[in-house]
Amino acid sequence: MRILSSTLPILAILAYSTNQSNALSVPSLSSSTTAFVRSALAQSITIPRNHALSMSTVTEGEVKKVESASTSTSNSSPGDRDILVRAARGEQVERTPVWLMRQAGRYMAAFREYSTKYPFRERSETPSMATELSLQCHRAYGMDGIIMFSDILTPLPTLNIDFDVVRGTGPVISTEVRTEEDVASMPDPNDVDFDKTLPFIREILTTLSAEAESANTSLIGFVGAPFTLASYTIEGKSSKACLDTKKLMMADEEGSNLAMSQFLDKLAVMIGRYGCHQIDCGAQVIQVFESWAHQLTPKGFEQYAKPAAIKAISIMKEAHPEVPVIYFANGGSSYLELQKDMGCDMIAVDWSVDMAQARKILGPDVAISGNLDPTVLFGSKEQIEQAVRDCIDKAGGPGKHLLNLGHGVMQGTPEEAVGWLVDECKRYKGKDNEA
């Protein structure tokens, strides 16, 4: 069933049903329903088979309320197509653009319809599912970018590293890396054919590129930083102490086992080329995730993580100088001053540093992204809107940074809260323009 914009005034309420013959009429608009109707109001959509529409229990006021809530996502200006890209390059833009890490996630009921039925790798490596999961949040909230639904571990099989993402456990990697011989046995990353080893990536990104153009927005790709992928592989799973990785770092430092530096070098080449592949497939921005930065001392970052990340970034920038690269070191705010010369276009900062302080540390010549505490989305509408305004002001004012969370959207986040954040960011014109 297709709902077109001309028929939207009669759209009243979405009713969920567990089977096609027994639809339940819902007397008020829940958060998930509001998000879905916002999406319908913003653009033509397809109603899933297990959704039904009921006109019987909705007032005209409820419909107008949802239509009003959708105004910011349905109104799109020509500059919106590349506003995120321009901001990521460090340009001052007409308003502050916004996207959210993990914007495609389990906080959305529509997303959970897939995540509860299909394993992660099936979802992320099946183009039709990955595309749909990438688009759901943009349809609902109109962020300034669509990010591919995938994982930082996705390219590891190109180096013969096997992994899975187990529900309730997280990433599990079975390939052991402890010695120089282990690293030497891996394929040469310069010889990796990503279309052969990861054929789904091109199909996903090509489709999303067309969708982004149609929706007048940008397409974001992403990669994991070398240290983060090395640590995941060495530990075999998430780790509180990262002990095996740090043992290899110490052995590398004294010269008794160079596996760590050799592994980081191979990963840097592979990741750099993987980022280039995503750009070739349509990505307009690449974010590099150093998800395990919190495991590093400033010395460890400068000695191991930083050189490898710079190498990966330089590969992307040399091949595609026009495409902005964002570097995000989660938990790395204690050594933010060491990130000013990463060779990227923008630094994303986590929520543990005040935005004004981060702006001061990085200086006026380094573009910045971030950094709302994700838990603010569990607050009231007024609290969320105030947090958005405060972050924008501390970053220098509207149009002078790229708004994001300081980490990903948390599971359990109220869906309407994401809409409030996005809407306020797009609305806010600065303190001098407030009534």
Side-chain angles (χ1 to χ4, degrees):
M1 177 179 180
R2 199 76 173 171
I3 302 296
L4 302 177
S5 57
S6 60
T7 67
L8 287 173
I10 67 168
L11 180 61
I13 191 169
L14 182 69
Y16 292 95
S17 64
T18 54
N19 58 67
Q20 297 181 54
S21 62
N22 185 24
L24 298 174
S25 295
V26 184
S28 62
L29 295 175
S30 68
S31 61
S32 58
T33 301
T34 299
F36 189 88
V37 177
R38 283 166 61 97
S39 169
L41 290 164
Q43 59 183 288
S44 300
I45 60 171
T46 299
I47 303 293
R49 289 176 61 191
N50 64 333
H51 292 158
L53 295 176
S54 169
M55 292 291 292
S56 61
T57 59
V58 183
T59 67
E60 182 179 355
E62 285 174 323
V63 176
K64 288 182 177 179
K65 179 180 178 181
V66 178
E67 287 175 340
S68 176
S70 72
T71 299
S72 65
T73 54
S74 60
N75 293 338
S76 178
S77 65
D80 287 350
R81 165 66 169 149
D82 66 346
I83 190 170
L84 186 149
V85 177
R86 289 182 283 123
R89 289 195 188 114
E91 299 176 24
Q92 183 170 340
V93 291
E94 52 272 24
R95 62 170 175 81
T96 298
V98 56
W99 74 280
L100 305 178
M101 289 181 273
R102 291 184 188 159
Q103 64 185 34
R106 287 178 289 174
Y107 72 96
M108 293 189 72
F111 183 97
R112 294 194 299 274
E113 290 182 11
Y114 289 82
S115 64
T116 56
K117 295 178 183 177
Y118 305 102
F120 178 85
R121 288 194 65 177
E122 183 176 354
R123 282 179 280 136
S124 64
E125 297 178 13
T126 302
S128 59
M129 279 197 277
T131 299
E132 171 60 21
L133 293 171
S134 302
L135 293 172
Q136 287 174 341
C137 53
H138 186 269
R139 292 193 194 115
Y141 309 115
M143 294 88 168
D144 288 301
I146 296 167
I147 186 166
M148 172 179 65
F149 176 71
S150 186
D151 194 83
I152 60 174
L153 305 183
T154 293
L156 285 180
T158 66
L159 297 181
N160 292 340
I161 299 171
D162 296 323
F163 83 96
D164 199 1
V165 180
V166 180
R167 185 176 178 83
T169 301
V172 176
I173 298 174
S174 56
T175 304
E176 186 173 280
V177 177
R178 293 290 186 276
T179 67
E180 295 176 35
E181 290 72 24
D182 292 335
V183 178
S185 68
M186 297 175 186
D188 184 339
N190 288 295
D191 296 334
V192 171
D193 182 342
F194 292 100
D195 278 326
K196 182 177 180 180
T197 55
L198 307 173
F200 48 89
I201 292 296
R202 183 173 294 277
E203 184 174 350
I204 293 167
L205 285 172
T206 300
T207 303
L208 288 177
S209 179
E211 292 281 354
E213 184 175 8
S214 177
N216 197 42
T217 195
S218 302
L219 177 59
I220 306 164
F222 70 94
V223 297
F227 175 80
T228 292
L229 295 195
S231 299
Y232 257 126
T233 303
I234 293 164
E235 302 298 326
K237 58 182 179 181
S238 297
S239 172
K240 291 183 179 180
C242 210
L243 186 56
D244 288 331
T245 301
K246 292 183 178 180
K247 286 179 180 179
L248 282 182
M249 290 166 66
M250 288 184 281
D252 189 278
E253 186 176 21
E254 69 178 8
S256 61
N257 180 358
L258 301 181
M260 189 68 190
S261 58
Q262 292 173 0
F263 190 24
L264 286 172
D265 191 66
K266 275 199 169 181
L267 284 168
V269 174
M270 183 274 285
I271 290 165
R273 293 189 64 240
Y274 180 49
C276 290
H277 178 68
Q278 291 187 30
I279 295 167
D280 292 339
C281 294
Q284 297 169 281
V285 180
I286 298 291
Q287 177 148 315
V288 179
F289 283 87
E290 191 72 89
S291 303
W292 285 31
H294 62 285
Q295 298 283 7
L296 289 163
T297 63
K299 177 186 175 182
F301 174 77
E302 199 161 25
Q303 190 171 354
Y304 289 99
K306 183 176 179 177
I310 288 175
K311 182 169 184 174
I313 292 168
S314 68
I315 291 170
M316 290 182 260
K317 292 304 295 181
E318 287 172 10
H320 300 279
E322 77 289 355
V323 175
V325 176
I326 306 169
Y327 179 75
F328 173 59
N330 180 43
S333 292
S334 65
Y335 46 82
L336 190 57
E337 70 280 358
L338 298 178
Q339 299 172 43
K340 293 193 289 185
D341 58 347
M342 298 297 299
C344 57
D345 300 271
M346 173 174 273
I347 295 293
V349 294
D350 63 37
W351 57 267
S352 66
V353 63
D354 183 79
M355 176 54 80
Q357 182 66 15
R359 176 73 285 165
K360 182 178 179 181
I361 292 171
L362 291 173
D365 298 327
V366 178
I368 193 168
S369 174
N371 76 329
L372 293 174
D373 181 346
T375 63
V376 76
L377 289 172
F378 291 87
S380 67
K381 183 174 186 288
E382 292 73 22
Q383 288 172 316
I384 293 168
E385 291 174 344
Q386 187 62 56
V388 168
R389 294 192 293 269
D390 288 345
C391 188
I392 291 173
D393 289 339
K394 289 180 178 182
K400 294 184 178 179
H401 98 297
L402 173 55
L403 188 73
N404 206 318
L405 299 177
H407 200 269
V409 181
M410 299 173 65
Q411 186 175 359
T413 294
E415 292 191 42
E416 65 267 26
V418 174
W420 295 336
L421 185 157
V422 173
D423 290 349
E424 182 62 12
C425 181
K426 290 188 171 186
R427 182 203 68 81
Y428 186 53
K429 305 301 181 184
K431 291 185 287 187
D432 294 340
N433 294 306
E434 291 292 275

